Amino acid sequence: IPIGGMGVPLMGPPPPEVAHRFRVIKYSILILILCTIGELIAGILGGAFGQMLVSSLNLILNALIGVWMLKDDSTIGRIYAFLGRSCCKPCTEQCQGGLTCLMPFIICNLITVLLGLILNNDIGEIIGAFKAMLNSVTFYEAFDFMLLFASTLGALLSQVVGCIYGYLAYREIRDSGVHQTGGDWGNSYPQAEEAPARDVRAPANHCAAFQGSGQRLGG
């Protein structure tokens, strides 16, 4: 998701100065992935997989952006490599990942959380799933509603945490003046100085015209 003209352009892997921020973001992405899978399983158990899949599309998108953002991480890098070899190969070829995905990650998580709270009534669904779990008659129903409750709550909290820590990381990078231009972090290489102009002179002409005397034929 290219979002240009917003803040400092960032590229490459996260710098060491904000490693503590991205460590929290990493766990929030892993929790988001697990909770998304949990919601889909709950949809299968409840006989509403299609509806659950449609409602989870934003979560899937946010999880994919997070995986591409932390593709250099040792754990999430395995997920990135697997997706890059399978269904998401075109995304791997078109998106370079890394900090390029930081701002889209923040914005998409923020939009998903706000739309979920305002339009989808996520809080009401969480409370309803919790009550249904307590009033379940069979273990099957209790497990289904418990999985739905834990997955919905976990997905919401992981997006909130990811959005907050993503912005904190972006602000620290911006305030520290670390940014990337031309594909390298900061000014990793000294700028090339203009070489002094050399005095280029034409080589001396050591060839002289033939000045010898000749004889006329037949003379």
Side-chain angles (χ1 to χ4, degrees):
I1 300 178
I3 301 179
M6 300 186 64
V8 179
L10 304 176
M11 299 174 65
E17 292 80 6
V18 291
H20 60 292
R21 303 292 187 192
F22 280 92
R23 189 176 301 111
V24 178
I25 297 174
K26 167 186 174 180
Y27 290 118
S28 69
I29 294 173
L30 294 175
I31 293 174
L32 178 60
I33 294 174
L34 293 176
C35 290
T36 303
I37 297 175
E39 286 191 1
L40 295 177
I41 296 176
I44 295 175
L45 297 177
F49 175 74
Q51 180 180 357
M52 189 63 68
L53 178 62
V54 173
S55 62
S56 301
L57 290 179
N58 288 336
L59 302 181
I60 297 174
L61 175 62
N62 293 342
L64 289 176
I65 296 176
V67 169
W68 255 249
M69 179 177 64
L70 296 183
K71 67 174 186 176
D72 298 304
D73 179 77
S74 58
T75 302
I76 295 184
R78 300 175 183 177
I79 304 175
Y80 170 81
F82 171 76
L83 295 175
R85 293 191 303 264
S86 55
C87 58
C88 297
K89 186 176 181 179
C91 300
T92 307
E93 297 174 351
Q94 297 178 7
C95 179
Q96 59 183 337
L99 290 180
T100 308
C101 301
L102 178 57
M103 187 56 67
F105 178 77
I106 298 172
I107 295 177
C108 289
N109 276 276
L110 178 61
I111 293 176
T112 303
V113 170
L114 293 179
L115 291 180
L117 294 176
I118 298 174
L119 300 180
N120 297 335
N121 192 20
D122 285 349
I123 299 298
E125 291 185 0
I126 294 173
I127 296 175
F130 181 75
K131 291 181 179 180
M133 178 186 65
L134 296 179
N135 298 327
S136 297
V137 178
T138 63
F139 174 79
Y140 181 87
E141 292 181 354
F143 177 77
D144 184 19
F145 287 115
M146 178 190 67
L147 184 60
L148 179 61
F149 164 75
S151 299
T152 306
L153 180 60
L156 178 63
L157 294 179
S158 64
Q159 289 178 104
V160 172
V161 172
C163 183
I164 293 176
Y165 274 80
Y167 176 75
L168 292 176
Y170 170 79
R171 188 179 63 179
E172 290 185 14
I173 296 174
R174 179 198 62 190
D175 294 344
S176 64
V178 179
H179 63 281
Q180 190 172 34
T181 57
D184 297 313
W185 268 101
N187 294 325
S188 301
Y189 302 98
Q191 297 180 354
E193 297 180 356
E194 184 179 358
R198 296 180 178 179
D199 185 11
V200 181
R201 298 180 179 178
N205 188 4
H206 298 288
C207 298
F210 180 74
Q211 298 177 354
S213 61
Q215 294 181 354
R216 188 182 301 270
L217 294 178

